[in-house]
mmCIF file of all heavy atoms in Angstrom:
data_model
loop_
_atom_site.group_PDB
_atom_site.id
_atom_site.type_symbol
_atom_site.label_atom_id
_atom_site.label_comp_id
_atom_site.label_asym_id
_atom_site.label_seq_id
_atom_site.Cartn_x
_atom_site.Cartn_y
_atom_site.Cartn_z
ATOM 1 N N ALA A 1 0.830 -1.176 -0.002
ATOM 2 C CA ALA A 1 -0.034 -0.027 0.001
ATOM 3 C C ALA A 1 0.869 1.248 -0.009
ATOM 4 O O ALA A 1 0.535 2.253 -0.646
ATOM 5 C CB ALA A 1 -0.954 -0.011 1.194
ATOM 6 N N LYS A 2 2.014 1.223 0.708
ATOM 7 C CA LYS A 2 2.914 2.336 0.730
ATOM 8 C C LYS A 2 3.552 2.565 -0.632
ATOM 9 O O LYS A 2 3.748 3.696 -1.086
ATOM 10 C CB LYS A 2 4.016 2.135 1.779
ATOM 11 C CG LYS A 2 3.496 2.249 3.204
ATOM 12 C CD LYS A 2 4.641 1.982 4.175
ATOM 13 C CE LYS A 2 4.136 2.066 5.606
ATOM 14 N NZ LYS A 2 5.202 1.839 6.593
ATOM 15 N N VAL A 3 3.869 1.471 -1.357
ATOM 16 C CA VAL A 3 4.430 1.553 -2.680
ATOM 17 C C VAL A 3 3.384 2.172 -3.642
ATOM 18 O O VAL A 3 3.705 3.078 -4.465
ATOM 19 C CB VAL A 3 4.843 0.197 -3.208
ATOM 20 C CG1 VAL A 3 5.319 0.259 -4.663
ATOM 21 C CG2 VAL A 3 5.958 -0.394 -2.329
ATOM 22 N N ILE A 4 2.134 1.721 -3.556
ATOM 23 C CA ILE A 4 1.062 2.286 -4.379
ATOM 24 C C ILE A 4 0.893 3.755 -4.172
ATOM 25 O O ILE A 4 0.780 4.539 -5.118
ATOM 26 C CB ILE A 4 -0.278 1.541 -4.133
ATOM 27 C CG1 ILE A 4 -0.135 0.113 -4.683
ATOM 28 C CG2 ILE A 4 -1.444 2.246 -4.787
ATOM 29 C CD1 ILE A 4 -1.291 -0.825 -4.299
ATOM 30 N N GLU A 5 0.915 4.231 -2.927
ATOM 31 C CA GLU A 5 0.806 5.676 -2.608
ATOM 32 C C GLU A 5 1.924 6.451 -3.189
ATOM 33 O O GLU A 5 1.772 7.520 -3.721
ATOM 34 C CB GLU A 5 0.614 5.862 -1.126
ATOM 35 C CG GLU A 5 -0.709 5.441 -0.576
ATOM 36 C CD GLU A 5 -1.896 6.032 -1.290
ATOM 37 O OE1 GLU A 5 -1.911 7.252 -1.525
ATOM 38 O OE2 GLU A 5 -2.798 5.275 -1.715
ATOM 39 N N ALA A 6 3.152 5.899 -3.058
ATOM 40 C CA ALA A 6 4.331 6.600 -3.600
ATOM 41 C C ALA A 6 4.233 6.703 -5.114
ATOM 42 O O ALA A 6 4.576 7.745 -5.685
ATOM 43 C CB ALA A 6 5.589 5.830 -3.210
ATOM 44 N N VAL A 7 3.750 5.665 -5.773
ATOM 45 C CA VAL A 7 3.604 5.721 -7.247
ATOM 46 C C VAL A 7 2.560 6.724 -7.661
ATOM 47 O O VAL A 7 2.739 7.497 -8.586
ATOM 48 C CB VAL A 7 3.274 4.308 -7.799
ATOM 49 C CG1 VAL A 7 2.870 4.368 -9.270
ATOM 50 C CG2 VAL A 7 4.434 3.344 -7.608
ATOM 51 N N LYS A 8 1.423 6.760 -6.917
ATOM 52 C CA LYS A 8 0.367 7.729 -7.245
ATOM 53 C C LYS A 8 0.876 9.174 -7.139
ATOM 54 O O LYS A 8 0.517 10.005 -7.948
ATOM 55 C CB LYS A 8 -0.816 7.501 -6.330
ATOM 56 C CG LYS A 8 -1.673 6.292 -6.642
ATOM 57 C CD LYS A 8 -2.810 6.172 -5.645
ATOM 58 C CE LYS A 8 -3.661 4.946 -5.943
ATOM 59 N NZ LYS A 8 -4.762 4.798 -4.967
ATOM 60 N N LYS A 9 1.711 9.448 -6.132
ATOM 61 C CA LYS A 9 2.275 10.760 -5.956
ATOM 62 C C LYS A 9 3.283 11.105 -7.055
ATOM 63 O O LYS A 9 3.371 12.211 -7.533
ATOM 64 C CB LYS A 9 2.919 10.909 -4.582
ATOM 65 C CG LYS A 9 1.942 10.936 -3.445
ATOM 66 C CD LYS A 9 2.611 11.033 -2.098
ATOM 67 C CE LYS A 9 1.588 10.984 -0.971
ATOM 68 N NZ LYS A 9 2.248 10.942 0.324
ATOM 69 N N SER A 10 4.110 10.082 -7.419
ATOM 70 C CA SER A 10 5.115 10.310 -8.422
ATOM 71 C C SER A 10 4.625 10.332 -9.843
ATOM 72 O O SER A 10 5.268 10.941 -10.690
ATOM 73 C CB SER A 10 6.201 9.186 -8.299
ATOM 74 O OG SER A 10 6.795 9.232 -7.028
ATOM 75 N N VAL A 11 3.504 9.682 -10.091
ATOM 76 C CA VAL A 11 2.989 9.571 -11.451
ATOM 77 C C VAL A 11 1.522 9.995 -11.427
ATOM 78 O O VAL A 11 0.625 9.173 -11.568
ATOM 79 C CB VAL A 11 3.137 8.171 -12.017
ATOM 80 C CG1 VAL A 11 2.794 8.104 -13.530
ATOM 81 C CG2 VAL A 11 4.526 7.608 -11.773
ATOM 82 N N PRO A 12 1.217 11.295 -11.248
ATOM 83 C CA PRO A 12 -0.160 11.734 -11.134
ATOM 84 C C PRO A 12 -1.029 11.501 -12.381
ATOM 85 O O PRO A 12 -2.232 11.398 -12.322
ATOM 86 C CB PRO A 12 -0.053 13.222 -10.836
ATOM 87 C CG PRO A 12 1.319 13.639 -11.291
ATOM 88 C CD PRO A 12 2.142 12.392 -11.134
ATOM 89 N N GLU A 13 -0.348 11.344 -13.538
ATOM 90 C CA GLU A 13 -1.102 11.110 -14.772
ATOM 91 C C GLU A 13 -1.514 9.622 -14.963
ATOM 92 O O GLU A 13 -2.212 9.302 -15.897
ATOM 93 C CB GLU A 13 -0.304 11.612 -16.002
ATOM 94 C CG GLU A 13 0.962 10.773 -16.267
ATOM 95 C CD GLU A 13 2.186 11.200 -15.487
ATOM 96 O OE1 GLU A 13 2.063 11.974 -14.500
ATOM 97 O OE2 GLU A 13 3.315 10.797 -15.865
ATOM 98 N N MET A 14 -1.118 8.753 -14.046
ATOM 99 C CA MET A 14 -1.463 7.353 -14.119
ATOM 100 C C MET A 14 -2.970 7.167 -14.093
ATOM 101 O O MET A 14 -3.666 7.764 -13.258
ATOM 102 C CB MET A 14 -0.820 6.605 -12.929
ATOM 103 C CG MET A 14 -1.126 5.127 -12.908
ATOM 104 S SD MET A 14 -0.329 4.263 -11.536
ATOM 105 C CE MET A 14 -1.056 5.066 -10.119
ATOM 106 N N GLU A 15 -3.486 6.388 -15.029
ATOM 107 C CA GLU A 15 -4.919 6.122 -15.130
ATOM 108 C C GLU A 15 -5.367 4.953 -14.323
ATOM 109 O O GLU A 15 -6.505 4.901 -13.857
ATOM 110 C CB GLU A 15 -5.318 5.984 -16.563
ATOM 111 C CG GLU A 15 -5.210 7.250 -17.379
ATOM 112 C CD GLU A 15 -5.702 7.116 -18.813
ATOM 113 O OE1 GLU A 15 -6.362 6.053 -19.085
ATOM 114 O OE2 GLU A 15 -5.449 8.012 -19.622
ATOM 115 N N SER A 16 -4.520 3.941 -14.191
ATOM 116 C CA SER A 16 -4.923 2.764 -13.388
ATOM 117 C C SER A 16 -3.689 2.023 -12.893
ATOM 118 O O SER A 16 -2.594 2.226 -13.376
ATOM 119 C CB SER A 16 -5.790 1.811 -14.231
ATOM 120 O OG SER A 16 -5.002 1.215 -15.253
ATOM 121 N N LEU A 17 -3.910 1.227 -11.908
ATOM 122 C CA LEU A 17 -2.873 0.401 -11.282
ATOM 123 C C LEU A 17 -3.527 -0.928 -10.897
ATOM 124 O O LEU A 17 -4.633 -0.938 -10.347
ATOM 125 C CB LEU A 17 -2.321 1.139 -10.072
ATOM 126 C CG LEU A 17 -1.177 0.432 -9.322
ATOM 127 C CD1 LEU A 17 -0.200 1.489 -8.861
ATOM 128 C CD2 LEU A 17 -1.725 -0.346 -8.175
ATOM 129 N N VAL A 18 -2.809 -2.026 -11.151
ATOM 130 C CA VAL A 18 -3.384 -3.346 -10.805
ATOM 131 C C VAL A 18 -2.480 -3.998 -9.754
ATOM 132 O O VAL A 18 -1.259 -4.163 -10.008
ATOM 133 C CB VAL A 18 -3.494 -4.244 -12.051
ATOM 134 C CG1 VAL A 18 -4.024 -5.586 -11.664
ATOM 135 C CG2 VAL A 18 -4.393 -3.592 -13.090
ATOM 136 N N HIS A 19 -3.033 -4.379 -8.640
ATOM 137 C CA HIS A 19 -2.330 -5.148 -7.647
ATOM 138 C C HIS A 19 -2.672 -6.602 -7.892
ATOM 139 O O HIS A 19 -3.863 -6.961 -7.851
ATOM 140 C CB HIS A 19 -2.729 -4.716 -6.245
ATOM 141 C CG HIS A 19 -2.253 -5.617 -5.169
ATOM 142 N ND1 HIS A 19 -3.078 -6.333 -4.323
ATOM 143 C CD2 HIS A 19 -0.994 -5.997 -4.836
ATOM 144 C CE1 HIS A 19 -2.375 -7.071 -3.519
ATOM 145 N NE2 HIS A 19 -1.124 -6.872 -3.809
ATOM 146 N N ARG A 20 -1.654 -7.419 -8.114
ATOM 147 C CA ARG A 20 -1.905 -8.845 -8.416
ATOM 148 C C ARG A 20 -1.290 -9.705 -7.333
ATOM 149 O O ARG A 20 -0.207 -9.474 -6.887
ATOM 150 C CB ARG A 20 -1.289 -9.236 -9.750
ATOM 151 C CG ARG A 20 -1.938 -8.537 -10.932
ATOM 152 C CD ARG A 20 -1.473 -9.094 -12.244
ATOM 153 N NE ARG A 20 -2.316 -8.551 -13.326
ATOM 154 C CZ ARG A 20 -1.836 -7.870 -14.328
ATOM 155 N NH1 ARG A 20 -0.549 -7.613 -14.397
ATOM 156 N NH2 ARG A 20 -2.624 -7.396 -15.254
ATOM 157 N N GLY A 21 -2.050 -10.703 -6.927
ATOM 158 C CA GLY A 21 -1.513 -11.676 -5.984
ATOM 159 C C GLY A 21 -1.023 -12.903 -6.736
ATOM 160 O O GLY A 21 -1.599 -13.333 -7.697
ATOM 161 N N ARG A 22 0.144 -13.388 -6.312
ATOM 162 C CA ARG A 22 0.712 -14.594 -6.957
ATOM 163 C C ARG A 22 1.245 -15.564 -5.955
ATOM 164 O O ARG A 22 1.655 -15.164 -4.857
ATOM 165 C CB ARG A 22 1.876 -14.158 -7.895
ATOM 166 C CG ARG A 22 1.405 -13.330 -9.064
ATOM 167 C CD ARG A 22 2.537 -13.100 -10.045
ATOM 168 N NE ARG A 22 1.993 -12.360 -11.146
ATOM 169 C CZ ARG A 22 2.648 -11.428 -11.803
ATOM 170 N NH1 ARG A 22 3.884 -11.133 -11.484
ATOM 171 N NH2 ARG A 22 2.104 -10.803 -12.823
ATOM 172 N N GLY A 23 1.245 -16.778 -6.288
ATOM 173 C CA GLY A 23 1.770 -17.818 -5.405
ATOM 174 C C GLY A 23 1.937 -19.121 -6.106
ATOM 175 O O GLY A 23 1.627 -19.282 -7.265
ATOM 176 N N TRP A 24 2.514 -20.104 -5.400
ATOM 177 C CA TRP A 24 2.729 -21.434 -5.903
ATOM 178 C C TRP A 24 1.848 -22.429 -5.156
ATOM 179 O O TRP A 24 1.565 -22.238 -3.992
ATOM 180 C CB TRP A 24 4.169 -21.853 -5.739
ATOM 181 C CG TRP A 24 5.115 -21.223 -6.728
ATOM 182 C CD1 TRP A 24 5.893 -20.115 -6.483
ATOM 183 C CD2 TRP A 24 5.366 -21.589 -8.048
ATOM 184 N NE1 TRP A 24 6.609 -19.815 -7.582
ATOM 185 C CE2 TRP A 24 6.306 -20.714 -8.567
ATOM 186 C CE3 TRP A 24 4.874 -22.598 -8.874
ATOM 187 C CZ2 TRP A 24 6.753 -20.792 -9.850
ATOM 188 C CZ3 TRP A 24 5.386 -22.697 -10.153
ATOM 189 C CH2 TRP A 24 6.315 -21.844 -10.649
ATOM 190 N N ALA A 25 1.414 -23.458 -5.849
ATOM 191 C CA ALA A 25 0.640 -24.528 -5.202
ATOM 192 C C ALA A 25 1.101 -25.850 -5.776
ATOM 193 O O ALA A 25 1.536 -25.959 -6.892
ATOM 194 C CB ALA A 25 -0.836 -24.326 -5.460
ATOM 195 N N LYS A 26 0.982 -26.887 -4.968
ATOM 196 C CA LYS A 26 1.232 -28.238 -5.461
ATOM 197 C C LYS A 26 -0.108 -28.923 -5.526
ATOM 198 O O LYS A 26 -0.806 -29.028 -4.552
ATOM 199 C CB LYS A 26 2.160 -28.991 -4.502
ATOM 200 C CG LYS A 26 2.552 -30.351 -5.061
ATOM 201 C CD LYS A 26 3.674 -30.978 -4.203
ATOM 202 C CE LYS A 26 4.156 -32.223 -4.905
ATOM 203 N NZ LYS A 26 5.329 -32.771 -4.168
ATOM 204 N N ILE A 27 -0.490 -29.335 -6.729
ATOM 205 C CA ILE A 27 -1.782 -29.983 -6.972
ATOM 206 C C ILE A 27 -1.523 -31.473 -6.963
ATOM 207 O O ILE A 27 -0.679 -32.000 -7.718
ATOM 208 C CB ILE A 27 -2.350 -29.506 -8.320
ATOM 209 C CG1 ILE A 27 -2.538 -28.013 -8.316
ATOM 210 C CG2 ILE A 27 -3.674 -30.268 -8.584
ATOM 211 C CD1 ILE A 27 -2.906 -27.428 -9.669
ATOM 212 N N ILE A 28 -2.248 -32.176 -6.095
ATOM 213 C CA ILE A 28 -2.033 -33.628 -5.914
ATOM 214 C C ILE A 28 -3.305 -34.381 -6.198
ATOM 215 O O ILE A 28 -4.412 -34.001 -5.777
ATOM 216 C CB ILE A 28 -1.613 -33.912 -4.442
ATOM 217 C CG1 ILE A 28 -0.351 -33.051 -4.107
ATOM 218 C CG2 ILE A 28 -1.356 -35.367 -4.229
ATOM 219 C CD1 ILE A 28 -0.002 -33.108 -2.642
ATOM 220 N N SER A 29 -3.162 -35.510 -6.942
ATOM 221 C CA SER A 29 -4.302 -36.402 -7.209
ATOM 222 C C SER A 29 -3.890 -37.817 -6.893
ATOM 223 O O SER A 29 -2.727 -38.063 -6.516
ATOM 224 C CB SER A 29 -4.749 -36.276 -8.652
ATOM 225 O OG SER A 29 -3.835 -36.890 -9.548
ATOM 226 N N ASP A 30 -4.760 -38.740 -7.116
ATOM 227 C CA ASP A 30 -4.444 -40.166 -6.882
ATOM 228 C C ASP A 30 -3.376 -40.657 -7.868
ATOM 229 O O ASP A 30 -2.646 -41.601 -7.534
ATOM 230 C CB ASP A 30 -5.678 -41.029 -7.030
ATOM 231 C CG ASP A 30 -6.703 -40.816 -5.966
ATOM 232 O OD1 ASP A 30 -6.304 -40.305 -4.900
ATOM 233 O OD2 ASP A 30 -7.884 -41.138 -6.194
ATOM 234 N N SER A 31 -3.252 -40.029 -9.015
ATOM 235 C CA SER A 31 -2.339 -40.532 -10.044
ATOM 236 C C SER A 31 -1.037 -39.684 -10.233
ATOM 237 O O SER A 31 -0.149 -40.062 -10.971
ATOM 238 C CB SER A 31 -3.047 -40.594 -11.383
ATOM 239 O OG SER A 31 -3.515 -39.314 -11.764
ATOM 240 N N GLY A 32 -0.933 -38.561 -9.517
ATOM 241 C CA GLY A 32 0.276 -37.754 -9.637
ATOM 242 C C GLY A 32 0.140 -36.406 -9.037
ATOM 243 O O GLY A 32 -0.845 -36.084 -8.339
ATOM 244 N N SER A 33 1.159 -35.559 -9.281
ATOM 245 C CA SER A 33 1.141 -34.196 -8.736
ATOM 246 C C SER A 33 1.847 -33.262 -9.704
ATOM 247 O O SER A 33 2.626 -33.714 -10.555
ATOM 248 C CB SER A 33 1.785 -34.146 -7.359
ATOM 249 O OG SER A 33 3.131 -34.462 -7.468
ATOM 250 N N THR A 34 1.575 -32.020 -9.557
ATOM 251 C CA THR A 34 2.241 -30.978 -10.390
ATOM 252 C C THR A 34 2.323 -29.646 -9.616
ATOM 253 O O THR A 34 1.548 -29.430 -8.666
ATOM 254 C CB THR A 34 1.476 -30.780 -11.722
ATOM 255 O OG1 THR A 34 2.295 -29.943 -12.566
ATOM 256 C CG2 THR A 34 0.130 -30.148 -11.558
ATOM 257 N N GLN A 35 3.224 -28.797 -10.006
ATOM 258 C CA GLN A 35 3.336 -27.464 -9.425
ATOM 259 C C GLN A 35 2.540 -26.513 -10.310
ATOM 260 O O GLN A 35 2.503 -26.646 -11.532
ATOM 261 C CB GLN A 35 4.816 -27.017 -9.419
ATOM 262 C CG GLN A 35 5.695 -27.844 -8.545
ATOM 263 C CD GLN A 35 5.558 -27.508 -7.081
ATOM 264 O OE1 GLN A 35 5.148 -26.417 -6.688
ATOM 265 N NE2 GLN A 35 5.916 -28.435 -6.223
ATOM 266 N N ALA A 36 1.849 -25.549 -9.691
ATOM 267 C CA ALA A 36 1.073 -24.604 -10.451
ATOM 268 C C ALA A 36 1.265 -23.214 -9.922
ATOM 269 O O ALA A 36 1.462 -23.011 -8.719
ATOM 270 C CB ALA A 36 -0.405 -24.977 -10.379
ATOM 271 N N VAL A 37 1.211 -22.211 -10.800
ATOM 272 C CA VAL A 37 1.269 -20.785 -10.430
ATOM 273 C C VAL A 37 -0.179 -20.352 -10.228
ATOM 274 O O VAL A 37 -1.060 -20.622 -11.018
ATOM 275 C CB VAL A 37 1.913 -19.967 -11.567
ATOM 276 C CG1 VAL A 37 1.857 -18.478 -11.186
ATOM 277 C CG2 VAL A 37 3.330 -20.408 -11.801
ATOM 278 N N ILE A 38 -0.428 -19.652 -9.117
ATOM 279 C CA ILE A 38 -1.755 -19.105 -8.845
ATOM 280 C C ILE A 38 -1.624 -17.577 -8.973
ATOM 281 O O ILE A 38 -0.788 -16.978 -8.278
ATOM 282 C CB ILE A 38 -2.244 -19.493 -7.457
ATOM 283 C CG1 ILE A 38 -2.296 -21.024 -7.362
ATOM 284 C CG2 ILE A 38 -3.550 -18.866 -7.135
ATOM 285 C CD1 ILE A 38 -2.619 -21.551 -5.979
ATOM 286 N N THR A 39 -2.420 -16.982 -9.795
ATOM 287 C CA THR A 39 -2.410 -15.522 -9.974
ATOM 288 C C THR A 39 -3.849 -15.021 -9.896
ATOM 289 O O THR A 39 -4.753 -15.661 -10.327
ATOM 290 C CB THR A 39 -1.840 -15.154 -11.376
ATOM 291 O OG1 THR A 39 -0.549 -15.730 -11.523
ATOM 292 C CG2 THR A 39 -1.771 -13.677 -11.572
#
C-alpha cells in the first residue's frame, strides 16, 4: 500500500494500477502431482 501511494504521488497522470496476488501450489491427485502458479 505504501508503494502504491508513492507511485500515485510520483505519477499523477497514471490512469490505473493493478495489484496482483501470486503464489505457488502443489496440486495432488491419486495418479500424480504438479506445481502450479496461482495468480
Side-chain angles (χ1 to χ4, degrees):
K2 291 180 181 179
V3 175
I4 291 171
E5 289 306 312
V7 171
K8 286 179 180 178
K9 289 178 184 175
S10 297
V11 189
E13 67 275 14
M14 178 176 64
E15 292 185 11
S16 67
L17 181 141
V18 178
H19 169 241
R20 295 188 171 122
R22 294 189 177 144
W24 284 98
K26 187 170 189 176
I27 302 170
I28 303 170
S29 73
D30 291 339
S31 60
S33 66
T34 188
Q35 297 282 336
V37 177
I38 300 172
T39 304

